[in-house]
Each structure stands twice: as structure tokens, then as C-alpha cells.
Amino acid sequence: MPTLLKPFSVHEKLLEKGMTVFTPDEFARLFDATEYQKKYFLETYTEQGLLVRFKRGLYGVKTSLPDEQTLANRLYEPSYISFEYALAWYNMMPEAVYAITSATTKPTRRFTVLGKTYIYHTMKCDAYTGYAPVSDANRLVLMADREKALADYLYLVSLGQKTLNDRLTAQEIDTKKLRAYTKLFGRPILEALVRKVMP
């Protein structure tokens, strides 16, 4: 039988590497673990409370959980944070936002993890752009820039999936950049909506 991994050593190394969220394969690579070791450790120590399973195939250390933005990027890949959550982050939407909203090229999905809601809206491949890494401390998060967050949000409004928030403030927006993003969606109604918001 292969040597079992020691919980304390695993815990220390995961924290040392800043791996607050990881897949079974990432775990196996880090510890050079066999299939048996990987499966045994993840199942056993999730049951015992050392680890937490966010969804099938995605884990974290219970005492050092990832922040909601990091988890949003990893729960459903590829994805980047956008729509209302990003607009609120940029102080362009005054209301509190309770769901972490992201764009993805995959089908629309919703997850509830640790009491928080994560919503992923499908984005056509041509419009899946306008995001960049936002980094601080030991994390790196993909988030839409101001103009793309607004374009993504207005795109869903143009589809009738969201209602335009009349308290939305388009501050510090590069109008030319915003219009370039909206053209990627190929929806004249969206371009008209942008003219209404940014006269």
C-alpha cells in the first residue's frame, strides 16, 4: 500500500503555495501523489473537516478559504467577473450586489457555495474579451474593465434578461472603448441602448 500523506504536512504546503482552491489533479502534482493517495486523502479529510469541497472536482482548505472573487474564477472556467458585481466594484452601481456575476463561453450556470451565489452568463466567443488580471497579495483575479463590464451588463439588458438600473453611473467611462466593445455583440439594439446611457 502506498505511504499515506500526512494531514499536517499537506495543510502547511497548501498554505505555503497559496493554494486556497485546487483540483484533484493539481493536488496530485503538488504532492506527487498516486491515484490512490489523492482519492483517499481528498475523500477522508473532506469528511473530517480539514478540506472543503466547493463542487465536484474543486477543493479548498477549510481554515484558509479563497475570497469570493478567486472562487468565482475557479468554479466555472473559463470565466471572468463582470456585469453587476464588477460595476459595483467600480462604484458604478450604488446598490449592494449579493451575487458574484461572471461571463463565460460555456452554458449559463448558477452555483451556491458557502452561502453565496455565483452566476455565470454565456458570452459569445467574439465578445469574450475586455478583461485583465487584477492582482494583490497572493491572488490573481480575472475581471472585466469598466467599459466591458458595462457593455456586458447592457447586453443582457438588450436581451431582456435584466432591467436597466436607473441609478447606474457611467463615470470614468471611455465612450469610444465602450462602443468598440458593444460592436462585438453584433446587436443594433445594444448600440442604441449605449447611446441612451452615454448620450
Side-chain angles (χ1 to χ4, degrees):
M1 179 183 292
T3 303
L4 297 180
L5 297 168
K6 295 178 172 58
F8 180 78
S9 300
V10 168
H11 182 265
E12 289 295 298
K13 192 166 185 178
L14 286 170
L15 296 186
E16 176 191 319
K17 295 293 184 181
M19 290 179 65
T20 57
V21 54
F22 53 88
T23 65
D25 286 345
E26 289 168 342
F27 178 88
R29 284 195 296 271
L30 180 63
F31 295 100
D32 195 23
T34 64
E35 187 66 25
Y36 172 82
Q37 289 172 317
K38 174 183 74 174
K39 188 172 186 297
Y40 177 85
F41 192 94
L42 294 178
E43 289 181 359
T44 300
Y45 290 100
T46 297
E47 288 177 6
Q48 293 187 13
L50 174 67
L51 303 178
V52 59
R53 192 176 85 158
F54 303 118
K55 69 167 190 175
R56 184 177 179 182
L58 198 66
Y59 296 82
V61 179
K62 196 165 188 178
T63 59
S64 186
L65 295 172
D67 63 90
E68 62 190 21
Q69 295 178 1
T70 299
L71 187 54
N73 275 186
R74 294 300 307 274
L75 267 178
Y76 202 46
E77 296 175 310
S79 66
Y80 64 87
I81 296 169
S82 189
F83 311 103
E84 295 98 329
Y85 186 94
L87 292 173
W89 195 70
Y90 289 122
N91 296 315
M92 294 169 61
M93 192 170 280
E95 291 85 358
V97 175
Y98 298 103
I100 299 88
T101 50
S102 299
T104 181
T105 53
K106 289 183 175 180
T108 294
R109 287 289 302 275
R110 175 189 293 258
F111 299 90
T112 300
V113 180
L114 302 177
K116 293 184 178 179
T117 301
Y118 295 81
I119 301 172
Y120 298 82
H121 296 286
T122 303
M123 188 69 56
K124 60 189 288 189
C125 290
D126 289 346
Y128 192 83
T129 185
Y131 58 92
V134 176
S135 61
D136 57 65
N138 293 319
R139 68 181 199 134
L140 188 148
V141 174
L142 298 178
M143 185 175 297
D145 63 28
R146 290 173 180 273
E147 290 79 11
K148 190 53 166 40
L150 181 56
D152 289 350
Y153 171 72
L154 293 176
Y155 168 65
L156 293 187
V157 172
S158 77
L159 292 175
Q161 294 181 17
K162 292 187 182 293
T163 302
L164 182 63
N165 187 321
D166 58 9
R167 297 181 66 194
L168 179 70
T169 58
Q171 57 188 25
E172 299 179 39
I173 287 292
D174 181 329
T175 305
K176 185 176 180 181
K177 191 175 180 183
L178 172 63
R179 288 179 174 155
Y181 282 142
T182 57
K183 287 184 183 298
L184 298 175
F185 293 95
R187 286 181 60 78
I189 189 172
L190 172 57
E191 294 179 42
L193 184 58
V194 169
R195 288 194 292 271
K196 177 182 176 183
V197 174
M198 302 286 294

